[in-house]
Amino acid sequence: MSNKTTIYDIAKELNITAATVSRALNNNPKISSATRTLVMSTAAKMNYKQNKLALALKSGKSNNVGVIVPRINTNFFASVIRGIEEELQPNGYQVIICQTHEDEERQIENINTLLNAQVDGILMSISNVSKKNDSFIERIVQKNVPLIFFDRKKNMEGVSSVTINDFKGAYLATQHLIDQGNKRIAFLSGDRSLEIYEDRYNGYVAALADNSIELIEDYIITIKSNVVVGREVVEQLLKLDHPPTAIFSTSDFAALGAIQKLKEFGVKIPEEFCVFGFGNEPFTKFMELSISTVDQSPLEMGRMAAKVFLEQINNSDNLKIEKKVVLMPELHIRKSSLKFPK
């Protein structure tokens, strides 16, 4: 049989009406389970394919959910997507993944594409350049499409989010470095116009203040999340009159670059210099010099974002309910920062 089998072909094969076939395929309760089973098995044998778009237009549901991320080539976002899929797939939803590559025009295109595809919801981690065109994000809400932010979010009325406590993660990491005898701690931050990086900065500042340690502006550097930048920053910091003895990086990749450069300079880690990252990328634990880092629980974050979506889609009253889920960060203390093992 060709792939163009219709409900009329199935009806003819079973000597029943096309309307009965249609009802059986769409689980109409008026159709007996025996007839439904017969229709479904015959449809499978005849290689019948339902028109998903037609069904979506008829039911108002596409059973597709859009996921927008800055990029998928990091363990964090890949794990979040996995968590979303693991929660949604058993509930009959397929996931459409879009990447912004930190480009606002691309983010706008992603939103328009998903809305035009009639997705039932959008789960989104905003681009770090998402500053001026909030109207495109607000358009999602105006169309009554459930929107759930994860990790990177905007504070919008009626929009739910799932994040970790970035302030606490940064505070605990900085406190650990202080407990290891460091008072001169550099802070490598992503773009602080994003709330997650501002929260991590505030956690770092609070830990220093609680330990009566002076905040030194030369130690605070805005970075991109990559190895090359981490290497460059170390050269910059070591040229200071009073260089730091530790780095807390909001990126594991920059932390890795920093460690590489410190080794090239012959600096002993952690005896002379401690390094702490953020993200718990897989490479951090498998290196000979394992890297201390903050775990963001991406799998749980993805699952929770999906659960919030399901709550909203399954109860129309929940569409306007604002749910702010905050997960607790977990520190993984490893060789790169542990001067004094217990």
Side-chain angles (χ1 to χ4, degrees):
M1 287 286 175
S2 76
N3 286 344
K4 295 182 179 178
T5 301
T6 69
I7 61 171
Y8 299 99
D9 297 322
I10 299 169
K12 185 177 179 182
E13 178 74 16
L14 295 176
N15 198 26
I16 58 177
T17 66
T20 300
V21 173
S22 177
R23 291 190 187 105
L25 289 171
N26 290 291
N27 291 319
N28 189 305
K30 293 180 181 178
I31 303 299
S32 70
S33 59
T35 301
R36 188 180 301 119
T37 300
L38 181 61
V39 169
M40 296 296 272
S41 63
T42 304
K45 286 176 189 173
M46 297 179 72
N47 202 19
Y48 171 73
K49 299 283 192 299
Q50 283 183 293
N51 186 323
K52 298 290 186 182
L53 182 58
L55 284 173
L57 291 171
K58 187 176 179 181
S59 68
K61 283 189 70 177
S62 67
N63 284 86
N64 290 324
V65 174
V67 177
I68 301 176
V69 294
R71 56 195 173 277
I72 61 171
N73 63 338
T74 67
N75 178 68
F76 174 74
F77 286 117
S79 296
V80 171
I81 292 168
R82 177 184 159 194
I84 291 170
E85 287 187 322
E86 287 181 356
E87 198 66 38
L88 291 185
Q89 197 274 334
N91 286 279
Y93 290 93
Q94 299 299 316
V95 173
I96 301 172
I97 301 165
C98 300
Q99 299 181 79
T100 64
H101 296 286
E102 306 290 15
D103 181 286
E104 187 154 38
E105 291 304 316
R106 202 153 181 172
Q107 180 168 276
I108 292 167
E109 287 175 14
N110 289 342
I111 291 170
N112 287 335
T113 298
L114 292 173
L115 290 177
N116 289 337
Q118 306 284 317
V119 293
D120 294 335
I122 294 177
L123 281 57
M124 180 178 187
S125 187
I126 63 169
S127 162
N128 66 8
V129 291
S130 181
K131 298 168 186 174
K132 57 181 185 290
N133 273 320
D134 285 1
S135 59
F136 285 91
I137 298 176
E138 288 165 0
R139 189 166 162 244
I140 302 170
V141 181
Q142 288 163 2
K143 285 185 168 288
N144 286 323
V145 174
L147 170 63
I148 293 93
F149 289 123
F150 60 88
D151 187 44
R152 305 176 179 188
K153 67 181 174 71
K154 283 189 176 292
N155 292 311
M156 294 172 60
E157 188 177 347
V159 177
S160 297
S161 63
V162 182
T163 58
I164 70 158
N165 191 327
D166 285 286
F167 176 94
K168 186 167 186 178
Y171 184 99
L172 293 174
T174 306
Q175 185 62 56
H176 164 76
L177 291 170
I178 294 168
D179 292 343
Q180 297 301 303
N182 299 289
K183 292 189 176 180
R184 302 200 304 273
I185 303 169
F187 177 70
L188 312 187
S189 174
D191 184 348
R192 279 163 48 199
S193 67
L194 279 174
E195 187 177 341
I196 60 169
Y197 293 120
E198 181 66 13
D199 286 348
R200 292 173 198 177
Y201 169 76
N202 289 333
Y204 161 78
V205 170
L208 295 183
D210 288 350
N211 289 273
S212 302
I213 296 174
E214 179 187 0
L215 179 70
I216 299 172
E217 290 296 333
D218 285 346
Y219 290 172
I220 300 167
I221 303 174
T222 300
I223 60 161
K224 290 185 177 179
S225 178
N226 64 57
V227 174
V228 174
V229 169
R231 294 171 63 88
E232 292 170 350
V233 165
V234 164
E235 288 198 65
Q236 180 181 336
L237 289 170
L238 292 184
K239 287 177 183 175
L240 295 173
D241 291 338
H242 299 285
T245 62
I247 284 175
F248 170 41
S249 169
T250 58
S251 156
D252 281 337
F253 294 97
L256 173 59
I259 287 171
Q260 289 177 350
K261 201 65 181 178
L262 287 165
K263 283 183 173 180
E264 287 176 18
F265 284 145
V267 177
K268 293 179 181 177
I269 306 170
E271 295 86 354
E272 298 173 337
F273 204 108
C274 295
V275 178
F276 211 106
F278 206 111
N280 197 29
E281 289 288 331
F283 66 80
T284 56
K285 65 179 175 182
F286 293 123
M287 295 175 60
E288 185 179 351
L289 178 70
S290 56
I291 303 176
S292 296
T293 186
V294 180
D295 192 338
Q296 296 173 268
S297 304
L299 204 59
E300 185 183 354
M301 184 179 288
R303 286 174 178 154
M304 187 57 68
K307 284 177 181 176
V308 172
F309 160 74
L310 290 171
E311 282 180 22
Q312 294 191 354
I313 202 74
N314 291 329
N315 184 348
S316 58
D317 292 338
N318 281 335
L319 273 176
K320 300 300 180 186
I321 291 176
E322 194 176 305
K323 200 164 192 177
K324 305 296 185 187
V325 180
V326 181
L327 306 174
M328 285 299 106
E330 181 183 354
L331 261 58
H332 293 283
I333 309 297
R334 300 185 180 125
K335 293 178 183 177
S336 69
S337 70
L338 197 57
K339 280 188 191 177
F340 311 121
K342 291 183 180 178

